[in-house]
Amino acid sequence: MDIKMNKSVFLGVGAACLALLAMGVFALVQQYSFIEGITNITSYVPWGLYISLFLFFEAVGAGALLLAALGKPATFSRLKLAVVGVVCSACAGLAILPDLGRPLGMWRLFLAPNMASPLLLDVWLLSATLVFGVLLIVGLRFAKPGLAKVASIGAGVFSVLLVLGTAIMFCSIPGKLGWESPAEIAISLVQMAVAGCAIALLLGAVTGAARNVIVKLAGALLIANAAVMLGEGMLLVYRNDFVLRTFEAVMFGSYAWIFWTHVVAGIVVPAALLLLDKGVTVAAGLALAGVLLSKFVYVVRGSIYPTYGEISEGLFIPFLQPSTGPQMVNVYVPSVSEFMVAGAVVGLAVLLVLVAFNSKLVPADDASEQA
């Protein structure tokens, strides 16, 4: 499928994306001005929508680049996948910037790095993924087989390492109960593959027998995602530790409606459609939405619950709600400002992909795919 638009549609979509960007910049300026209440990020809820969006774009970008690196030119539109992979990986980096403080502070990660910080590894892996992704685009677009081959190896390796490194980093953060489950490492890798397959199907970037393989693979990966989650949940029957209790909390607490929407609409329904080869485009879209909801649930699972120290010391936290079930902090709902910034990142991703696909960078006949 060629995402080529007539001029009026392209200008309309572009204008909408620019409007989202303008609103996001306005909201971000307010945030950097430290206006009280502009976000719902607090000392009790240190991470929220921005980190969720980072994890989502990282999964989509890494998944698309992995398929672009592994796909065969005869059946895969590798250039399209590489473009989407680079754009989404770059937007993952942009999504996390509001959590790093002042915009210029990001350069400290390169000019004055803290070697003990787990974030540093993520920054380097993301940078390497982007570099090899761009080289892959150049190699494919300008028919340079040698460059394309080297870039494919680099993009494939670093896209997997990026997601793996991020998952390990989250699981190793001291005292964050909901992020300490090793099952989340497997889920992150599976969701990366799901996102890549979904993007390939939405773009029509696979043809012939390869399309059928990707459809079945995506369905099988969704089942694998559900199986790992089921295994983690079943441990609750045999164990009673804090880590698994946070999983119980998102299943049956204030976030239950998001969790079960993700399970039903983001896993069960698309898996059934894909395995039956019915409504593949709808299924791919639902699977992507499911990945986004899953990332949000995962972030709040780890970031809004009291730490081991707070529990052991019996500290009073005013936002804790008394309940007979899992102990929870008040529900985190992103502010309008947070949604505006998130919308700007999404709008930028859409705009960049549309510009690339409607320019000479991605030829309509995919002639560069012969590289």
Side-chain angles (χ1 to χ4, degrees), residues 248-249 252-254 305 319-329:
E248 181 185 22
F252 305 112
S254 302
Y305 294 95
F319 296 113
L320 286 179
Q321 299 176 344
S323 65
T324 57
Q327 191 178 40
M328 294 191 64
V329 176

Side-chain angles (χ1 to χ4, degrees), residues 27-227:
L28 199 56
V29 169
Q30 289 186 309
Q31 182 173 328
Y32 286 142
S33 299
F34 300 103
I35 298 177
E36 186 176 355
I38 198 66
T39 72
N40 286 333
I41 303 297
T42 68
S43 57
Y44 296 112
V45 187
W47 290 351
L49 182 61
Y50 299 149
I51 304 300
S52 306
L53 204 60
F54 161 72
L55 293 175
F56 171 73
F57 273 119
E58 179 187 79
V60 174
L65 279 174
L66 181 61
L67 285 185
L70 297 178
K72 295 182 178 181
T75 53
F76 276 75
S77 181
R78 300 173 65 201
L79 183 57
K80 292 180 181 178
L81 289 170
V83 168
V84 172
V86 168
V87 168
C88 289
S89 296
C91 286
L94 288 176
I96 204 174
L97 284 184
D99 268 20
L100 299 180
R102 294 289 186 180
L104 295 180
M106 64 171 290
W107 295 111
R108 292 181 57 84
L109 295 170
F110 298 96
L111 302 178
N114 177 9
M115 303 304 294
S117 173
L119 180 61
L120 185 63
L121 176 62
D122 227 32
V123 170
W124 286 352
L125 289 174
L126 179 59
S127 299
T129 301
L130 285 170
V131 168
F132 280 106
V134 171
L135 291 177
L136 180 57
I137 292 174
V138 173
L140 293 173
R141 177 62 182 86
F142 298 103
K144 298 181 180 296
L147 178 60
K149 184 175 182 179
V150 172
S152 293
I153 296 173
V157 170
F158 280 105
S159 61
V160 174
L161 288 178
L162 173 61
V163 174
L164 181 62
T166 300
I168 292 175
M169 179 190 72
F170 270 76
C171 289
S172 62
I173 295 178
K176 290 300 183 180
L177 313 185
W179 292 336
E180 293 182 6
S181 173
E184 294 300 329
I185 297 175
I187 290 175
S188 294
L189 291 172
V190 168
Q191 289 182 342
M192 173 195 69
V194 167
C197 291
I199 288 295
L201 293 172
L202 287 172
L203 295 178
V206 281
T207 58
R211 178 188 177 278
N212 296 329
V213 172
I214 292 296
V215 168
K216 299 302 181 185
L217 177 61
L221 287 168
L222 287 170
I223 293 175
N225 187 5

